[in-house]
Amino acid sequence: EVQLLESGGGLVQPGGSLRLSCAASGFTFSSYAMSWVRQAPGKGLEWVSAISGSGGSTYYADSVKGRFTISRDNSKNTLYLQMNSLRAEDTAVYYCAKGVVPAAIMAFDIWGQGTMVTVSS
Amino acid sequence: QSALTQPASVSGSPGQSITISCTGTSSDVGSYNLVSWYQQHPGKAPKLMIYEGSKRPSGVSNRFSGSKSGNTASLTISGLQAEDEADYYCCSYAGSSTYVVFGGGTKLTVL
């Protein structure tokens, strides 16, 4: 079964850091681009970042550029999102998502269950 | 404010057809055939319904179809069923600077 399982969310103070992980199983992880998409409470979906299958190309939304870093360890089938300088507006459920075709960073056929990040003092 | 514009809500009766619009610009929807649509039930992760404008993933009912005209993409659901009641989001590739944009979402109510 194709599956994504996020972890690492929690409560953090403004200005703090957090690292999210997404463990993948059931598909050839290294062949697919992966993305992070977030959803603030009661709000819509917002694309955050994407990374190519090899990890050689990364992409960021302007709202997180310079603060967040996406990476992957294909030997561990795991995707990461390092979040620094966190702000209240980063509070959201963070989903990891698999590209529907190998290079796709804009269409996602498998989603994790999400992990909640709360930025508050 | 979302990059792509969707109606906040639409409604229809069981068996009817409805269409949800998704309006972008010549920099996103209008330039690429890379619009996708997602269904999200409360408390659940989104589910891919349409990608590359009109392609349906395996397992998605053929009652769901996608199309595009100019800068506007559309999702049509025919033969409405109670379980179709959910939030729907469009998404588009937006070029090598902005990359990916979502619509604000549309709440579908099945009367």
Side-chain angles (χ1 to χ4, degrees):
Chain A
E1 180 190 5
V2 179
Q3 196 170 358
L4 298 172
L5 187 62
E6 302 98 335
S7 61
L11 175 64
V12 61
Q13 292 188 338
S17 298
L18 212 54
R19 188 176 85 154
L20 306 183
S21 299
C22 172
S25 59
F27 65 100
T28 306
F29 181 70
S30 61
S31 294
Y32 287 87
M34 298 291 296
S35 296
W36 290 97
V37 177
R38 69 185 179 183
Q39 187 169 34
K43 303 297 184 181
L45 300 172
E46 179 188 14
W47 176 80
V48 172
S49 182
I51 187 168
S52 62
S54 67
S57 297
T58 57
Y59 313 87
Y60 297 95
D62 286 344
S63 58
V64 307
K65 198 174 300 181
R67 300 188 299 123
F68 290 12
T69 301
I70 191 171
S71 62
R72 63 193 297 161
D73 185 337
N74 286 343
S75 69
K76 296 182 178 179
N77 288 351
T78 303
L79 175 72
Y80 303 102
L81 186 67
Q82 177 67 43
M83 304 186 294
N84 298 332
S85 303
L86 282 162
R87 306 166 180 167
E89 54 264 37
D90 295 319
T91 294
V93 173
Y94 284 73
Y95 295 100
C96 67
K98 168 187 167 290
V100 65
V101 294
I105 65 166
M106 78 302 289
F108 321 109
D109 62 341
I110 304 297
W111 296 65
Q113 85 290 349
T115 188
M116 183 71 203
V117 172
T118 303
V119 184
S120 175
S121 54
Chain B
Q1 187 171 357
S2 302
L4 304 179
T5 300
Q6 299 180 234
S9 63
V10 299
S11 63
S13 300
Q16 287 186 330
S17 295
I18 63 96
T19 296
I20 299 172
S21 62
C22 170
T23 301
T25 70
S26 57
S27 297
D28 39 63
V29 174
S31 286
Y32 308 97
N33 198 25
L34 293 172
V35 173
S36 52
W37 290 89
Y38 302 87
Q39 175 192 67
Q40 187 179 34
H41 287 108
K44 301 295 186 181
K47 176 186 177 183
L48 179 65
M49 306 305 286
I50 296 287
Y51 68 101
E52 293 179 8
S54 60
K55 295 180 180 179
R56 269 190 314 275
S58 173
V60 171
S61 171
N62 60 8
R63 296 186 299 107
F64 292 83
S65 62
S67 62
K68 189 185 87 166
S69 177
N71 295 337
T72 298
S74 299
L75 173 71
T76 298
I77 309 173
S78 59
L80 267 180
Q81 300 178 1
E83 58 262 36
D84 298 334
E85 185 164 293
D87 293 326
Y88 290 84
Y89 295 91
C90 63
C91 176
S92 177
Y93 182 66
S96 58
S97 176
T98 304
Y99 300 116
V100 181
V101 290
F102 275 95
T106 298
K107 182 175 181 58
L108 169 62
T109 300
V110 181
L111 302 170

